[in-house]
Amino acid sequence: MENKKVVIITGAGRGIGAATAKLFAHNGYAICINYKSQSGPAELLAKEISALGVKCITVKADVSNENDVNRLFSTVDTELGTLTVLVNNAGILKPQSRLIDMTAARINEILINNVTSYFLCSREAVKRMSTTTGGSGGVIVNVSSGAAKSGSPNEYIDYAASKGAIDTLTRGLSLEVASEGIRVNCVRPGFIYTDMHADGGEPGRIKRLESKIPLGRGGQSDEVAEAIYWLAAEKSSFSTGNFLDLAGGL
Ligand code: NAP
């Protein structure tokens, strides 16, 4: 089937990215599933999506690496066609730690994976979407975090600060490219049941914190995917530089 709309979702092999890929596929998009290391889940997801009758490719690329990002976007140019939506979703978390114990290596790893990656992918998307360079416009949706507002003291200020940078990127880039047919929006999830919390050293973190969440529970990846989809879709056509918080009331 020929798909007119094309989306790249970074870090889409699992969690929020995978749920987002499925939702865009159900809405007729051709899908590029990007992943860094875990090919198994990414290939399984691609099979599931292809069965829906939409075109789906997987591209292994570390989006914190400039050469990988260039290859990711040129592969999509060739195999799927004109990019219409970029979802900057890939992110990492390190084990819980107070700032006093953080090394430069850890902080830089967080920043390159969570911030540099969004800048590089946004750059490649803007080159292709901007009406000033022959593009037809498009949408970028950034996945930030409620941590950008809370600061995540005693857990991971480095991660929280990286998400603060994504909020600033969203605001600045949205204004920079508003007249070029490109919208840039952002979701700020919090307490979503994914494997990321195991990477932070506490797989049961959300269960522990549930009583502090006004809605009384953690969220599901599907609930975040719905917000990402809405911010990318035509129904939010007058929205740019905006943020949707998905953290159960926090
Ligand atoms: P997840 O289950 O850990 O998935 C993240 C994915 O990102 C992984 O599949 C990983 O790929 C990929 N990734 C990491 N670094 C990458 C890189 N440099 N290049 C390409 N792919 C990379 O996490 P998630 O919970 O779905 O999180 C998705 C986004 O939501 C992240 O930006 C996260 O910060 C944000 N978020 C999550 C929560 C939450 O409660 N879960 C809350 C707020 C914000 P591989 O597996 O192949 O290594």
Side-chain angles (χ1 to χ4, degrees), residues 10-18 34-39 41-42 59-65 68 88-93 112-114 117-118 142-147 159 162-163 187-197 199 205-206 219 221 224 228 246:
T10 66
R14 68 182 201 190
I16 293 168
N34 156 251
Y35 68 97
K36 181 166 70 175
S37 53
Q38 298 188 47
S39 62
V59 179
K60 178 178 167 135
D62 176 350
V63 287
S64 70
N65 176 294
D68 277 18
N88 277 317
N89 167 78
I92 63 163
L93 193 62
I112 197 170
N113 276 284
N114 292 1
S117 59
Y118 281 45
N142 292 326
V143 181
S144 171
S145 170
Y159 170 83
S162 75
K163 294 302 186 177
V187 293
R188 278 188 297 229
F191 313 105
I192 310 301
Y193 284 106
T194 70
D195 294 335
M196 178 170 257
H197 302 284
D199 294 345
R205 177 174 177 264
I206 296 176
S221 294
V224 182
I228 293 172
L246 302 135

Side-chain angles (χ1 to χ4, degrees), residues 145-158:
S145 170
K149 294 196 293 182
S150 74
S152 301
N154 303 308
E155 290 195 319
Y156 14 71
I157 300 178
D158 50 355

Side-chain angles (χ1 to χ4, degrees), residues 12-14 18 33-35 37-51 56-60:
R14 68 182 201 190
I33 297 168
N34 156 251
Y35 68 97
S37 53
Q38 298 188 47
S39 62
E43 295 305 336
L44 264 180
L45 177 65
K47 219 169 154 188
E48 188 184 332
I49 285 176
S50 299
C56 181
I57 61 168
T58 58
V59 179
K60 178 178 167 135

Side-chain angles (χ1 to χ4, degrees), residues 4 20 200:
K4 289 202 192 98
T20 304

Side-chain angles (χ1 to χ4, degrees), residues 158-170:
D158 50 355
Y159 170 83
S162 75
K163 294 302 186 177
I166 297 312
D167 288 6
T168 306
L169 165 68
T170 301

